[in-house]
Coordinates of all heavy atoms in Angstrom, one line a residue:
M1 N 104.8 164.2 206.5 CA 105.5 163.2 207.3 C 106.7 163.8 208.0 O 107.4 164.5 207.5 CB 106.0 162.1 206.3 CG 106.6 160.9 207.0 SD 107.1 159.6 205.8 CE 105.6 159.0 205.3
T2 N 106.8 163.5 209.3 CA 107.8 164.1 210.1 C 109.0 163.1 210.2 O 108.9 161.9 209.8 CB 107.4 164.4 211.5 OG1 107.0 163.2 212.2 CG2 106.1 165.3 211.5
V3 N 110.1 163.5 210.9 CA 111.2 162.6 211.1 C 110.8 161.4 211.9 O 111.3 160.3 211.6 CB 112.4 163.4 211.8 CG1 113.5 162.4 212.1 CG2 112.8 164.5 210.9
S4 N 109.8 161.5 212.8 CA 109.5 160.4 213.6 C 108.5 159.5 213.0 O 108.1 158.5 213.5 CB 108.9 160.9 214.9 OG 107.7 161.7 214.7
T5 N 108.0 159.8 211.7 CA 107.1 159.0 211.0 C 107.9 158.1 210.0 O 108.6 158.7 209.1 CB 106.1 159.8 210.2 OG1 105.4 160.6 211.2 CG2 105.1 158.9 209.5
A6 N 107.8 156.8 210.1 CA 108.6 156.0 209.2 C 107.9 155.6 208.0 O 108.4 155.6 206.9 CB 109.0 154.7 210.0
H7 N 106.6 155.4 208.1 CA 105.8 154.9 206.9 C 104.4 155.3 207.1 O 103.8 155.2 208.2 CB 106.0 153.4 206.8 CG 105.4 152.9 205.6 ND1 106.1 153.0 204.3 CD2 104.3 152.2 205.3 CE1 105.3 152.4 203.4 NE2 104.2 152.0 204.0
S8 N 103.7 155.7 206.0 CA 102.3 156.1 206.1 C 101.7 155.6 204.8 O 102.1 155.8 203.7 CB 102.2 157.6 206.2 OG 100.8 157.9 206.2
T9 N 100.6 154.8 205.0 CA 99.9 154.3 203.9 C 98.5 153.8 204.3 O 98.3 153.4 205.5 CB 100.6 153.1 203.2 OG1 100.0 152.8 202.0 CG2 100.7 151.9 204.0
G10 N 97.6 153.8 203.4 CA 96.2 153.3 203.7 C 95.6 153.9 204.9 O 94.8 153.3 205.6
G11 N 95.9 155.2 205.2 CA 95.2 155.9 206.3 C 95.9 155.6 207.6 O 95.4 156.0 208.7
W12 N 97.0 154.9 207.6 CA 97.7 154.6 208.9 C 99.1 155.1 208.8 O 99.7 155.1 207.7 CB 97.7 153.1 209.2 CG 96.4 152.5 209.7 CD1 95.3 152.3 209.0 CD2 96.1 152.2 211.0 NE1 94.3 151.9 209.8 CE2 94.8 151.7 211.1 CE3 96.8 152.1 212.2 CZ2 94.2 151.3 212.2 CZ3 96.2 151.7 213.4 CH2 94.9 151.3 213.4
S13 N 99.7 155.4 209.9 CA 101.1 155.8 210.0 C 101.8 155.0 211.1 O 101.2 154.7 212.1 CB 101.3 157.3 210.3 OG 100.7 158.1 209.2
V14 N 103.1 154.8 210.9 CA 103.9 154.2 212.0 C 104.8 155.3 212.5 O 105.5 155.9 211.7 CB 104.7 153.0 211.5 CG1 105.6 152.5 212.6 CG2 103.8 151.9 211.0
V15 N 104.7 155.6 213.8 CA 105.4 156.7 214.4 C 106.2 156.2 215.6 O 105.9 155.2 216.1 CB 104.4 157.9 214.8 CG1 103.6 158.4 213.6 CG2 103.5 157.4 215.9
R16 N 107.2 157.0 216.0 CA 107.9 156.7 217.2 C 106.9 156.6 218.3 O 106.0 157.4 218.4 CB 109.0 157.7 217.5 CG 110.2 157.6 216.6 CD 111.0 156.4 216.9 NE 112.2 156.3 216.1 CZ 113.4 156.8 216.4 NH1 113.5 157.4 217.5 NH2 114.4 156.6 215.6
E17 N 107.1 155.6 219.2 CA 106.2 155.4 220.4 C 106.1 156.8 221.1 O 107.1 157.3 221.6 CB 106.8 154.4 221.3 CG 106.0 154.2 222.6 CD 104.6 153.9 222.4 OE1 104.3 152.7 221.9 OE2 103.7 154.7 222.6
P18 N 104.8 157.3 221.2 CA 104.6 158.6 221.8 C 104.5 158.5 223.4 O 104.6 159.5 224.0 CB 103.3 159.1 221.2 CG 102.6 157.8 220.9 CD 103.6 156.8 220.5
A19 N 104.4 157.3 223.9 CA 104.2 157.2 225.4 C 105.5 157.8 226.1 O 106.6 157.4 225.7 CB 104.0 155.7 225.8
P20 N 105.3 158.7 227.0 CA 106.4 159.4 227.6 C 107.3 158.4 228.4 O 108.5 158.6 228.6 CB 105.8 160.4 228.6 CG 104.4 160.0 228.7 CD 104.0 159.2 227.5
E21 N 106.8 157.3 228.9 CA 107.6 156.3 229.6 C 108.4 155.4 228.7 O 109.3 154.7 229.2 CB 106.7 155.5 230.6 CG 105.7 154.5 229.9 CD 104.4 155.2 229.5 OE1 104.3 156.4 229.5 OE2 103.5 154.4 229.2
A22 N 108.1 155.4 227.4 CA 108.9 154.5 226.5 C 110.3 155.1 226.3 O 110.5 156.3 226.0 CB 108.1 154.4 225.2
P23 N 111.3 154.2 226.4 CA 112.7 154.7 226.1 C 112.8 155.0 224.6 O 112.1 154.4 223.8 CB 113.5 153.5 226.5 CG 112.6 152.3 226.4 CD 111.2 152.8 226.7
S24 N 113.7 155.9 224.3 CA 113.9 156.1 222.8 C 114.6 154.9 222.1 O 114.3 154.7 221.0 CB 114.8 157.4 222.6 OG 116.1 157.2 223.2
A25 N 115.4 154.2 222.9 CA 116.0 153.0 222.3 C 116.5 152.1 223.5 O 116.7 152.6 224.6 CB 117.1 153.3 221.4
V26 N 116.6 150.8 223.2 CA 117.2 149.9 224.2 C 118.3 149.1 223.5 O 118.1 148.7 222.3 CB 116.1 148.9 224.7 CG1 116.7 147.8 225.5 CG2 115.1 149.6 225.5
F27 N 119.4 149.0 224.1 CA 120.6 148.4 223.5 C 121.0 147.1 224.1 O 120.8 146.9 225.3 CB 121.8 149.4 223.7 CG 121.5 150.8 223.1 CD1 120.9 151.7 223.8 CD2 121.9 151.0 221.8 CE1 120.6 153.0 223.3 CE2 121.6 152.3 221.2 CZ 121.0 153.3 222.0
E28 N 121.6 146.2 223.3 CA 122.0 144.9 223.8 C 123.2 144.5 223.0 O 123.3 144.8 221.8 CB 120.9 143.9 223.6 CG 121.2 142.6 224.2 CD 119.9 141.7 224.2 OE1 118.9 142.1 223.7 OE2 120.0 140.6 224.6
M29 N 124.2 143.9 223.6 CA 125.4 143.4 222.9 C 125.3 141.9 223.0 O 125.1 141.4 224.1 CB 126.7 143.9 223.4 CG 126.9 145.4 223.2 SD 127.3 145.7 221.4 CE 129.1 145.6 221.4
E30 N 125.6 141.2 221.9 CA 125.6 139.7 222.0 C 126.9 139.2 221.4 O 127.3 139.6 220.3 CB 124.4 139.2 221.1 CG 124.1 137.7 221.1 CD 122.9 137.3 220.3 OE1 121.8 137.3 220.9 OE2 123.1 137.1 219.1
C31 N 127.5 138.2 222.1 CA 128.7 137.6 221.7 C 128.4 136.7 220.4 O 127.5 135.9 220.5 CB 129.3 136.8 222.8 SG 130.8 135.8 222.3
T32 N 129.2 136.9 219.4 CA 128.9 136.1 218.2 C 129.5 134.7 218.3 O 129.3 133.8 217.4 CB 129.4 136.8 216.9 OG1 130.8 137.0 217.1 CG2 128.7 138.1 216.6
T33 N 130.3 134.4 219.3 CA 130.9 133.1 219.5 C 130.0 132.2 220.3 O 129.7 131.1 220.0 CB 132.3 133.2 220.2 OG1 133.1 134.0 219.4 CG2 132.9 131.9 220.4
C34 N 129.5 132.7 221.5 CA 128.7 131.9 222.4 C 127.2 132.4 222.6 O 126.4 131.7 223.2 CB 129.4 131.8 223.7 SG 129.3 133.3 224.7
C35 N 126.9 133.5 222.0 CA 125.5 134.1 222.0 C 125.1 134.6 223.4 O 124.0 134.9 223.6 CB 124.5 133.1 221.4 SG 124.7 132.8 219.7
H36 N 126.1 134.7 224.3 CA 125.7 135.3 225.6 C 125.5 136.8 225.3 O 126.0 137.3 224.4 CB 126.8 135.1 226.6 CG 126.8 133.8 227.3 ND1 127.9 133.3 228.0 CD2 125.9 132.8 227.2 CE1 127.6 132.1 228.5 NE2 126.4 131.7 228.0
S37 N 124.7 137.4 226.2 CA 124.2 138.7 225.9 C 124.4 139.6 227.2 O 124.3 139.2 228.3 CB 122.7 138.7 225.6 OG 122.1 140.0 225.6
S38 N 124.5 140.9 226.9 CA 124.6 141.9 227.9 C 123.3 142.1 228.6 O 123.2 142.6 229.7 CB 125.0 143.2 227.4 OG 124.0 143.7 226.5
G39 N 122.2 141.7 228.0 CA 120.9 142.0 228.5 C 120.5 143.4 228.0 O 121.4 144.2 227.6
A40 N 119.3 143.7 227.9 CA 118.8 145.0 227.4 C 119.0 146.1 228.4 O 118.8 145.9 229.6 CB 117.3 144.9 227.0
T41 N 119.5 147.2 227.9 CA 119.7 148.4 228.7 C 119.5 149.7 227.9 O 119.7 149.7 226.7 CB 121.2 148.4 229.3 OG1 121.4 149.6 230.0 CG2 122.2 148.3 228.2
E42 N 119.1 150.7 228.6 CA 118.9 152.0 227.9 C 120.3 152.7 227.7 O 120.3 153.7 227.0 CB 117.9 152.9 228.6 CG 116.5 152.3 228.6 CD 115.5 153.2 229.4 OE1 115.6 154.4 229.2 OE2 114.7 152.6 230.1
D43 N 121.3 152.2 228.3 CA 122.6 152.8 228.3 C 123.5 152.0 227.3 O 124.0 151.0 227.7 CB 123.2 152.9 229.7 CG 124.6 153.5 229.7 OD1 125.1 153.9 228.6 OD2 125.2 153.6 230.8
P44 N 123.8 152.6 226.1 CA 124.6 151.8 225.2 C 126.0 151.6 225.7 O 126.7 150.5 225.4 CB 124.7 152.7 223.9 CG 124.3 154.1 224.4 CD 123.4 153.9 225.6
Q45 N 126.6 152.5 226.5 CA 127.9 152.3 227.1 C 128.0 151.1 228.1 O 129.0 150.4 228.2 CB 128.4 153.5 227.7 CG 128.7 154.6 226.7 CD 129.2 155.9 227.3 OE1 129.1 156.2 228.5 NE2 129.9 156.7 226.5
A46 N 126.8 150.9 228.7 CA 126.8 149.7 229.7 C 126.9 148.4 228.9 O 127.5 147.5 229.3 CB 125.5 149.8 230.5
A47 N 126.2 148.4 227.7 CA 126.2 147.2 226.9 C 127.6 147.0 226.3 O 128.1 145.8 226.3 CB 125.2 147.3 225.7
Q48 N 128.3 148.0 225.9 CA 129.7 147.9 225.4 C 130.6 147.5 226.5 O 131.6 146.8 226.3 CB 130.1 149.3 224.8 CG 129.3 149.6 223.5 CD 129.4 151.0 223.1 OE1 130.2 151.8 223.6 NE2 128.6 151.4 222.1
A49 N 130.4 148.0 227.7 CA 131.3 147.6 228.9 C 131.1 146.1 229.1 O 132.1 145.5 229.5 CB 130.9 148.5 230.1
W50 N 129.9 145.6 229.0 CA 129.7 144.2 229.2 C 130.6 143.4 228.1 O 131.2 142.4 228.5 CB 128.3 143.8 229.0 CG 128.1 142.3 229.0 CD1 127.9 141.5 230.1 CD2 128.1 141.4 227.9 NE1 127.9 140.2 229.7 CE2 128.0 140.1 228.4 CE3 128.2 141.7 226.5 CZ2 128.0 139.0 227.5 CZ3 128.2 140.6 225.7 CH2 128.1 139.3 226.2
A51 N 130.6 143.9 226.9 CA 131.4 143.2 225.8 C 132.9 143.2 226.2 O 133.5 142.2 226.0 CB 131.2 143.9 224.5
V52 N 133.4 144.3 226.7 CA 134.8 144.3 227.1 C 135.0 143.3 228.3 O 136.0 142.5 228.3 CB 135.2 145.7 227.6 CG1 136.6 145.7 228.2 CG2 135.2 146.7 226.4
R53 N 134.1 143.3 229.3 CA 134.3 142.3 230.4 C 134.2 140.9 229.8 O 135.0 140.0 230.3 CB 133.2 142.5 231.4 CG 133.4 143.8 232.2 CD 132.5 143.8 233.5 NE 131.1 143.6 233.2 CZ 130.2 144.6 232.9 NH1 130.7 145.9 232.8 NH2 129.0 144.4 232.6
H54 N 133.3 140.6 228.9 CA 133.1 139.3 228.3 C 134.4 138.9 227.6 O 134.9 137.7 227.7 CB 131.9 139.3 227.4 CG 131.6 137.9 226.9 ND1 131.0 136.9 227.7 CD2 131.7 137.3 225.7 CE1 130.8 135.8 227.0 NE2 131.3 136.0 225.8
A55 N 135.0 139.7 226.8 CA 136.2 139.4 226.0 C 137.4 139.2 227.0 O 138.2 138.4 226.8 CB 136.5 140.5 225.0
T56 N 137.4 140.0 228.1 CA 138.4 139.9 229.1 C 138.4 138.5 229.7 O 139.4 137.8 230.0 CB 138.3 141.0 230.1 OG1 138.4 142.2 229.5 CG2 139.4 140.9 231.2
A57 N 137.2 138.1 230.0 CA 137.0 136.8 230.7 C 137.2 135.6 229.7 O 137.5 134.5 230.1 CB 135.6 136.7 231.3
S58 N 136.9 135.8 228.4 CA 136.9 134.8 227.4 C 137.6 135.3 226.2 O 137.0 135.8 225.3 CB 135.5 134.3 227.0 OG 134.8 133.9 228.2
P59 N 139.0 135.4 226.2 CA 139.8 136.1 225.2 C 139.5 135.6 223.8 O 139.8 136.4 222.8 CB 141.2 135.9 225.6 CG 141.2 135.6 227.1 CD 139.9 134.9 227.3
A60 N 138.9 134.4 223.6 CA 138.6 134.0 222.2 C 137.3 134.5 221.7 O 137.0 134.4 220.5 CB 138.6 132.4 222.1
H61 N 136.6 135.2 222.6 CA 135.3 135.8 222.2 C 135.4 137.3 222.0 O 135.3 138.1 222.9 CB 134.2 135.5 223.3 CG 134.0 134.0 223.6 ND1 132.9 133.6 224.2 CD2 134.7 132.9 223.3 CE1 132.9 132.2 224.3 NE2 134.1 131.8 223.7
T62 N 135.7 137.6 220.8 CA 136.0 139.0 220.5 C 135.0 139.7 219.5 O 135.1 140.8 219.2 CB 137.4 139.2 219.9 OG1 137.5 138.3 218.7 CG2 138.5 138.7 220.9
G63 N 134.1 138.9 219.0 CA 133.1 139.4 218.1 C 131.8 139.6 218.8 O 131.3 138.8 219.5
F64 N 131.1 140.8 218.5 CA 129.8 141.1 219.1 C 128.9 141.7 218.1 O 129.3 142.3 217.1 CB 130.1 142.1 220.2 CG 130.9 141.5 221.3 CD1 132.3 141.7 221.3 CD2 130.3 140.8 222.4 CE1 133.1 141.1 222.3 CE2 131.1 140.2 223.4 CZ 132.5 140.4 223.3
R65 N 127.6 141.4 218.4 CA 126.5 142.0 217.6 C 125.7 142.9 218.4 O 125.3 142.6 219.5 CB 125.6 140.8 217.1 CG 124.4 141.2 216.4 CD 123.5 140.0 216.1 NE 124.2 138.9 215.4 CZ 124.5 137.7 215.9 NH1 124.1 137.4 217.1 NH2 125.2 136.8 215.3
E66 N 125.6 144.2 218.0 CA 124.8 145.1 218.7 C 123.3 145.0 218.2 O 123.1 145.1 217.0 CB 125.3 146.6 218.5 CG 124.5 147.6 219.3 CD 125.0 149.0 219.1 OE1 125.3 149.4 218.0 OE2 125.0 149.8 220.1
I67 N 122.4 144.9 219.2 CA 121.0 144.9 218.9 C 120.4 146.1 219.5 O 120.5 146.4 220.7 CB 120.4 143.6 219.5 CG1 121.1 142.4 218.9 CG2 118.9 143.6 219.2 CD1 120.8 141.1 219.8
V68 N 119.7 146.9 218.6 CA 119.1 148.2 219.1 C 117.6 148.0 218.8 O 117.2 147.7 217.7 CB 119.6 149.4 218.3 CG1 119.0 150.7 218.8 CG2 121.2 149.5 218.5
H69 N 116.8 148.2 219.9 CA 115.4 148.2 219.8 C 114.9 149.6 219.9 O 115.2 150.3 220.8 CB 114.8 147.3 221.0 CG 115.3 145.9 221.0 ND1 114.6 144.9 220.5 CD2 116.4 145.4 221.6 CE1 115.3 143.8 220.7 NE2 116.4 144.1 221.4
R70 N 114.1 150.0 218.9 CA 113.4 151.3 218.9 C 111.9 150.9 218.9 O 111.5 150.0 218.2 CB 113.8 152.1 217.7 CG 115.3 152.5 217.7 CD 115.6 153.5 216.7 NE 117.0 153.5 216.4 CZ 117.9 154.1 217.2 NH1 117.5 154.7 218.3 NH2 119.2 154.1 216.9
F71 N 111.1 151.8 219.6 CA 109.7 151.4 219.7 C 108.8 152.3 218.9 O 109.1 153.5 218.8 CB 109.4 151.6 221.2 CG 110.2 150.7 222.1 CD1 111.4 151.1 222.6 CD2 109.8 149.3 222.3 CE1 112.2 150.2 223.4 CE2 110.6 148.5 223.0 CZ 111.8 148.9 223.6
W72 N 107.9 151.7 218.2 CA 107.0 152.4 217.3 C 105.6 152.1 217.6 O 105.3 151.1 218.2 CB 107.3 151.9 215.8 CG 108.7 152.3 215.4 CD1 109.9 151.6 215.7 CD2 109.2 153.4 214.7 NE1 111.0 152.2 215.2 CE2 110.6 153.3 214.6 CE3 108.5 154.5 214.1 CZ2 111.3 154.3 213.9 CZ3 109.3 155.5 213.5 CH2 110.6 155.3 213.4
R73 N 104.7 152.9 217.0 CA 103.3 152.7 217.2 C 102.6 153.0 215.9 O 102.8 154.0 215.2 CB 102.7 153.5 218.3 CG 101.2 153.3 218.5 CD 100.7 153.5 219.9 NE 101.5 153.0 221.0 CZ 101.3 151.8 221.6 NH1 100.3 151.1 221.2 NH2 102.1 151.5 222.6
A74 N 101.6 152.1 215.5 CA 100.8 152.4 214.3 C 99.6 153.1 214.8 O 98.9 152.7 215.7 CB 100.4 151.0 213.6
L75 N 99.3 154.2 214.1 CA 98.1 155.0 214.4 C 97.3 155.3 213.2 O 97.9 155.5 212.1 CB 98.5 156.3 215.1 CG 99.3 156.2 216.4 CD1 99.8 157.6 216.8 CD2 98.3 155.7 217.5
P76 N 96.0 155.4 213.3 CA 95.2 155.9 212.1 C 95.6 157.3 211.8 O 95.9 158.1 212.7 CB 93.8 155.8 212.6 CG 93.8 155.1 213.9 CD 95.1 155.1 214.4
A77 N 95.7 157.7 210.5 CA 96.1 159.0 210.1 C 95.2 160.1 210.7 O 95.7 161.2 211.0 CB 96.2 159.1 208.6
D78 N 93.9 159.8 210.9 CA 93.0 160.8 211.5 C 93.3 161.2 212.9 O 92.7 162.1 213.4 CB 91.6 160.4 211.2 CG 91.2 159.2 212.0 OD1 92.0 158.7 212.8 OD2 90.0 158.7 211.7
R79 N 94.2 160.5 213.5 CA 94.7 160.9 214.9 C 95.6 162.1 214.8 O 95.8 162.7 215.8 CB 95.4 159.7 215.6 CG 94.5 158.5 215.9 CD 93.7 158.6 217.2 NE 94.6 158.8 218.3 CZ 95.1 157.8 219.0 NH1 94.9 156.6 218.7 NH2 95.9 158.0 220.1
G80 N 96.1 162.3 213.7 CA 96.9 163.5 213.5 C 98.4 163.4 214.0 O 99.2 164.3 213.8
V81 N 98.8 162.3 214.5 CA 100.1 162.1 215.0 C 101.1 161.9 213.8 O 100.7 161.1 212.9 CB 100.2 161.0 216.0 CG1 101.7 160.7 216.4 CG2 99.4 161.3 217.2
G82 N 102.2 162.6 213.8 CA 103.1 162.4 212.7 C 102.9 163.2 211.5 O 103.7 163.1 210.6
E83 N 101.9 163.9 211.5 CA 101.6 164.7 210.3 C 102.3 166.1 210.5 O 102.4 166.6 211.6 CB 100.1 164.9 210.0 CG 99.5 163.6 209.7 CD 98.0 163.8 209.4 OE1 97.5 164.9 209.5 OE2 97.3 162.8 209.1
G84 N 102.7 166.7 209.4 CA 103.3 168.0 209.5 C 104.4 168.2 208.6 O 105.2 169.0 208.6
Ligands
ZN101 ZN1 131.1 134.7 224.3

């Protein structure tokens, strides 16, 4: 099992999405007061900048939830991905 393999059982493994076009992660900030969101972006600093702009525009909205999406794929173990 490699670092990119999260779980392996029953002849299947879950590995980080191997597609080259897949981002390693997508970030989003959500206001915990009104649930408005930065929208998804591959740049975590862009999501944080949105939170600062949101708090500046609505000073009572100072709490945020960061949502990070990472992409995975389940593959049969005989495909050989994630072993090693
Ligand atoms: Zn808000």
Side-chain angles (χ1 to χ4, degrees):
M1 185 177 289
T2 66
V3 173
S4 63
T5 302
H7 189 75
S8 180
T9 188
W12 284 74
S13 295
V14 178
V15 301
R16 285 291 181 89
E17 174 57 70
E21 67 273 16
S24 61
V26 172
F27 303 87
E28 184 172 2
M29 292 289 269
E30 185 177 271
C31 176
T32 58
T33 301
C34 71
C35 295
H36 282 169
S37 165
S38 65
T41 174
E42 293 180 40
D43 180 359
Q45 292 184 336
Q48 293 165 9
W50 173 87
V52 170
R53 289 194 305 275
H54 187 73
T56 301
S58 303
H61 298 200
T62 57
F64 296 91
R65 176 183 307 113
E66 181 182 38
I67 303 163
V68 181
H69 301 266
R70 298 188 196 285
F71 300 92
W72 298 83
R73 181 153 316 262
L75 296 171
D78 62 9
R79 295 273 303 271
V81 175
E83 294 180 359

